[in-house]
């Protein structure tokens, strides 16, 4: 794809969002269960910010269940009006910028994956496959899919905080693919803080940092009569030699764990300061993580848990809560064993599973994994 053609389509996607935000009027998307959930609703965030402004806990009245950090960042924007515009217009403009940044990070991640895949093919003496690859950048394709996906556009202009959650997941994957432990740790901590489910992405992140973006399984080397430990990858994207291709390195993992601890302490400290005298960290965990796991709000959404728990007898509620929450966890290890040589694809699979099985899914969750699917455009094209 030509650079000029790519940027024209990317700018057009941003312009289309701005037109909908500035001149689309009230599209009533905030009330749609496909777009807004109790966890991502901007109206609920505005209510929580108002409670905090009158020196009450933002979690009073079971309205707000999001992060205190979002209250400080987006809360002031929800209370401003200008020229009769919708009160959330400023937040929507922020979400436009967030979507663009996420798309650029997806593009960079795609290019990193493509370079790693080409190096893997060359290491297996499959240079012909590299030369005959489709002349399509997976990163460009994925970023345009993310920008022009109707679900992404709807969540951007639909008064919900899903774009920010998606951005943190993308930052985490970009940092892990680039083997930047501080950036990957920041994205992981923030994504887990905003929504509990990205915690299962710890395995793909660890594999990305330990093995690299793309590592053919050992049996492939054996079939080619090669030794994985003797291959010298002269260019690993940082201008240094990468010997022992396929070997796991613990140093980036330990670096990542250290930064996860640092970022976690920093985030918890900020939350403690924000909630000072208007609640505390214990109430925050109960109203955020506890709310996610116990499925107390049975308002309709695109998932099935709300309907199931509206019908189930209270006597069996605790049992089925355990079953549904453990359902995701049971899939983590088998998929990691099978796809350990393709950690980025493993992250995509986890993201898709979460989008289908989480307690409060929305269109924003589908937008994320559909955008990540574009990272594997070359494989889907048969290259």
């Amino acid at each position: 794809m030509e650079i000029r053609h790519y940027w024209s389509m990317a700018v057009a996607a941003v312009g289309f969002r701005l037109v909908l935000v500035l001149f689309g009027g009230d599209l009533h998307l905030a009330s749609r269960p496909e777009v807004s959930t109790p966890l991502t609703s901007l109206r609920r965030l505005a209510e929580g910010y108002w409670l905090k402004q009158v020196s009450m806990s933002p979690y009073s009245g079971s309205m707000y269940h999001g992060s205190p950090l979002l209250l400080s960042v987006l809360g002031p924007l929800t209370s401003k009006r200008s020229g009769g515009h919708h009160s959330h217009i400023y937040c929507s403009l922020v979400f436009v910028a967030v979507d663009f940044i996420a798309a650029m990070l997806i593009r960079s991640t795609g290019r990193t994956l493509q370079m790693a895949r080409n190096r893997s093919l060359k290491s297996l003496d499959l240079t012909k496959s590299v030369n005959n690859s489709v002349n399509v950048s997976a990163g460009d394709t994925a970023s345009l899919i993310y920008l022009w996906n109707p679900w992404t556009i709807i969540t951007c202009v639909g008064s919900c905080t899903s774009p920010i959650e998606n951005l943190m997941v993308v930052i985490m994957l970009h940092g892990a693919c680039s083997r930047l432990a501080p950036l990957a740790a920041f994205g992981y901590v923030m994504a887990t803080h905003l929504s509990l489910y990205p915690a299962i992405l710890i395995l793909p992140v660890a594999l990305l940092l330990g093995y690299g973006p793309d590592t053919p399984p050992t049996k492939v080397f054996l079939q080619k009569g090669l030794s994985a430990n003797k291959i010298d990858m002269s260019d690993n994207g940082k201008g240094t030699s990468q010997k022992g291709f396929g070997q796991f390195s613990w140093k980036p993992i330990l670096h990542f764990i250290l930064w996860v601890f640092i970022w976690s302490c920093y985030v918890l400290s900020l939350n403690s300061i924000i909630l000072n005298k208007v609640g505390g960290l214990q109430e925050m965990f109960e109203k955020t993580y506890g709310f996610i796991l116990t499925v107390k709000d049975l308002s309709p959404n695109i998932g099935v848990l709300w309907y199931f728990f509206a019908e189930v007898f209270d006597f069996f509620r605790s049992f089925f809560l355990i079953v549904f929450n453990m359902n995701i966890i049971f899939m983590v290890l088998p998929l990691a064993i099978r796809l350990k040589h393709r950690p980025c694809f493993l992250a995509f699979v986890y993201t898709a599973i979460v989008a289908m099985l989480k307690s409060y899914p929305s269109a924003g969750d589908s937008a994320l994994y559909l955008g990540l699917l574009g990272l594997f455009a070359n494989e889907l094209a048969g290259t």
Side-chain angles (χ1 to χ4, degrees):
M1 181 179 296
E2 296 182 359
I3 298 296
R4 183 180 303 176
H5 183 59
Y6 168 80
W7 283 111
S8 63
M9 295 187 67
V11 171
V14 174
F16 183 65
R17 283 168 167 76
L18 292 176
V19 170
L20 291 179
V21 170
L22 298 175
F23 307 106
D26 192 352
L27 300 176
H28 304 288
L29 294 175
S31 59
R32 298 297 305 176
E34 301 91 346
V35 178
S36 182
T37 70
L39 293 170
T40 62
S41 173
L42 204 59
R43 291 180 177 178
R44 290 179 177 245
L45 186 145
E47 178 70 17
Y49 180 72
W50 181 85
L51 290 173
K52 183 176 180 297
Q53 290 298 100
V54 296
S55 300
M56 295 178 61
S57 171
Y59 301 109
S60 301
S62 70
M63 277 295 292
Y64 183 62
H65 300 282
S67 167
L69 298 179
L70 292 179
L71 287 178
S72 300
V73 175
L74 299 179
L77 301 179
T78 62
S79 61
K80 295 181 180 180
R81 296 179 181 270
S82 175
H85 286 297
H86 194 275
S87 60
H88 297 162
I89 188 173
Y90 298 103
C91 292
S92 297
L93 292 176
V94 171
F95 296 151
V96 172
V98 166
D99 269 356
F100 181 75
I101 295 173
M104 294 302 102
L105 291 177
I106 290 176
R107 185 187 187 215
S108 178
T109 302
R111 292 191 169 188
T112 302
L113 289 174
Q114 193 166 15
M115 292 173 59
R117 179 173 177 271
N118 290 341
R119 289 196 301 270
S120 300
L121 292 175
K122 290 180 180 179
S123 70
L124 297 171
D125 293 333
L126 296 176
T127 54
K128 184 178 179 180
S129 298
V130 177
N131 296 331
N132 293 337
S133 296
V134 178
N135 189 22
V136 176
S137 172
D140 293 354
T141 302
S143 61
L144 290 179
I145 289 176
Y146 185 81
L147 284 174
W148 281 106
N149 190 335
W151 292 128
T152 313
I153 297 174
I154 288 174
T155 55
C156 179
V157 301
S159 298
C160 68
T161 60
S162 294
I164 296 180
E165 297 179 7
N166 292 345
L167 173 63
M168 295 305 160
V169 175
V170 173
I171 288 176
M172 172 182 59
L173 294 179
H174 173 71
C177 286
S178 303
R179 310 193 85 173
L180 299 175
L183 185 61
F186 171 77
Y188 180 77
V189 170
M190 288 302 302
T192 307
H193 172 64
L194 296 177
S195 177
L196 178 61
Y197 293 99
I200 68 172
L201 294 174
I202 185 67
L203 285 180
V205 170
L207 292 172
L208 282 168
L209 292 172
Y211 282 120
D214 187 89
T215 303
T218 305
K219 64 180 181 180
V220 178
F221 290 103
L222 297 177
Q223 291 173 357
K224 287 290 181 179
L226 301 173
S227 174
N229 295 329
K230 294 181 179 180
I231 294 177
D232 183 6
M233 304 299 290
S234 59
D235 182 10
N236 64 357
K238 296 182 180 180
T240 58
S241 177
Q242 183 183 10
K243 295 184 179 180
F245 184 58
Q247 291 183 333
F248 190 84
S249 174
W250 284 100
K251 184 176 180 180
I253 306 298
L254 298 177
H255 197 196
F256 171 77
I257 294 174
L258 174 63
W259 276 101
V260 165
F261 176 76
I262 294 174
W263 287 120
S264 297
C265 292
Y266 185 66
V267 169
L268 290 176
S269 299
L270 288 178
N271 288 328
S272 180
I273 294 173
I274 295 172
L275 296 176
N276 186 29
K277 298 181 180 180
V278 289
L281 293 180
Q282 181 177 355
E283 183 182 18
M284 180 195 75
F285 287 127
E286 292 176 355
K287 295 294 185 177
T288 54
Y289 294 164
F291 180 78
I292 293 173
L293 296 175
T294 56
V295 199
K296 292 183 177 179
D297 192 314
L298 300 180
S299 56
N301 56 58
I302 61 177
V304 297
L305 268 66
W306 69 271
Y307 182 78
F308 183 89
F309 285 107
E311 297 292 334
V312 73
F313 291 108
D314 289 339
F315 179 78
F316 300 103
R317 181 178 175 85
S318 298
F319 170 74
F320 282 107
L321 279 175
I322 296 174
V323 171
F324 277 101
N325 288 322
M326 293 299 292
N327 190 26
I328 297 178
I329 298 177
F330 286 151
M331 299 182 187
V332 171
L333 188 58
L335 288 171
I337 295 174
R338 180 63 182 87
L339 299 173
K340 65 179 182 179
H341 63 289
R342 298 296 301 278
C344 196
F345 185 75
L346 176 64
F348 156 73
V349 173
Y350 283 170
T351 305
I353 291 174
V354 166
M356 292 183 287
L357 300 180
K358 68 188 299 186
S359 54
Y360 299 100
S362 68
D365 302 308
S366 300
L368 176 60
Y369 80 80
L370 289 174
L372 295 178
L373 178 62
L375 293 175
F376 314 101
N378 288 343
E379 288 87 340
L380 294 175
T383 63

